[in-house]
Amino acid sequence: MSLLRVVGRPLLASMFVTGGLESVRNPEAVTPLAEPVVRQIRERVPVLPERTEQCVRLSGGVQVVAGVLLGLGRFPRLSALALAATLVPTTLAGHRFWEAEDEAGRTQQQIHFLKNVSMLGGLLIAADDTGSAPSLLWRGRHAGHELQRDARLVRRSVQATARPAAAVGGMRAKLSA
């Protein structure tokens, strides 16, 4: 594993571990901000808990677990996807710069919004990173090409040996007759 991955994954995960712990410990701090977004998500995903506070805790728990796994390099692609899935509603709930009334508040929320969008980009890159190992798609294509090559080789071998074998068989038939 490259040094960049060893250092980069924990750095990317650190914000999620700390933010997730805060959401698990103190969900009341963000529940009012999260309510409108959680309500919309709950309409589409009915298995979510009824109380917004529980949804905030659940999201925080996912962030802690996925952040620790990403930081340790365990299931990094799945962990990055889980973090990305929690980051989108968190960003939409917590950094609605378009609703800020004063210019300073709008600027501050826009900075946090763009920071989260940047982290989302990093997570998507991490989710696509195969760690220098070929992806399953590449391995499948490569195996298909190998099978085609082997089939051509077998066909050529059969064709190359069939003519002389037929000639020898014909001579034996004439000699034995």
Side-chain angles (χ1 to χ4, degrees):
M1 182 182 303
S2 77
L3 181 63
L4 292 177
R5 283 185 189 91
V6 170
V7 173
R9 285 179 180 159
L11 291 174
L12 182 59
S14 64
M15 184 70 178
F16 295 100
V17 174
T18 58
L21 283 172
E22 183 59 30
S23 292
V24 169
R25 289 181 188 150
N26 189 17
E28 305 84 21
V30 295
T31 298
L33 291 172
E35 179 63 41
V37 174
V38 170
R39 189 178 326 111
Q40 290 178 0
I41 294 172
R42 198 181 299 123
E43 289 173 3
R44 291 173 179 82
V45 185
V47 297
L48 289 177
E50 285 296 318
R51 294 178 51 220
T52 301
E53 184 178 297
Q54 292 172 328
C55 289
V56 169
R57 274 199 171 113
L58 176 64
S59 176
V62 170
Q63 287 181 349
V64 169
V65 171
V68 168
L69 289 173
L70 179 63
L72 294 174
R74 299 298 206 183
F75 307 108
R77 297 177 77 190
L78 181 63
S79 301
L81 280 177
L83 290 171
T86 65
L87 185 60
V88 172
T90 299
T91 302
L92 292 175
H95 304 298
R96 303 170 74 86
F97 67 90
W98 54 92
E99 292 179 353
E101 294 176 8
D102 64 330
E103 190 61 33
R106 183 183 328 273
T107 301
Q108 194 66 20
Q109 288 304 320
Q110 190 173 21
I111 289 169
H112 288 296
F113 182 89
L114 292 173
K115 171 198 52 108
N116 282 12
V117 169
S118 298
M119 289 191 328
L120 179 61
L123 289 170
L124 294 177
I125 290 169
D128 189 48
D129 179 29
T130 60
S132 297
S135 69
L136 289 175
L137 181 62
W138 182 90
R139 286 185 258 178
R141 285 182 186 157
H142 187 70
H145 292 304
E146 291 278 324
L147 285 173
Q148 287 175 342
R149 194 189 78 211
D150 291 347
R152 282 193 302 269
L153 182 62
V154 167
R155 186 178 64 235
R156 286 182 194 149
S157 297
V158 167
Q159 288 172 347
T161 57
R163 287 186 193 110
V168 169
M171 285 184 195
R172 282 188 182 166
K174 288 180 183 178
L175 292 174
S176 61

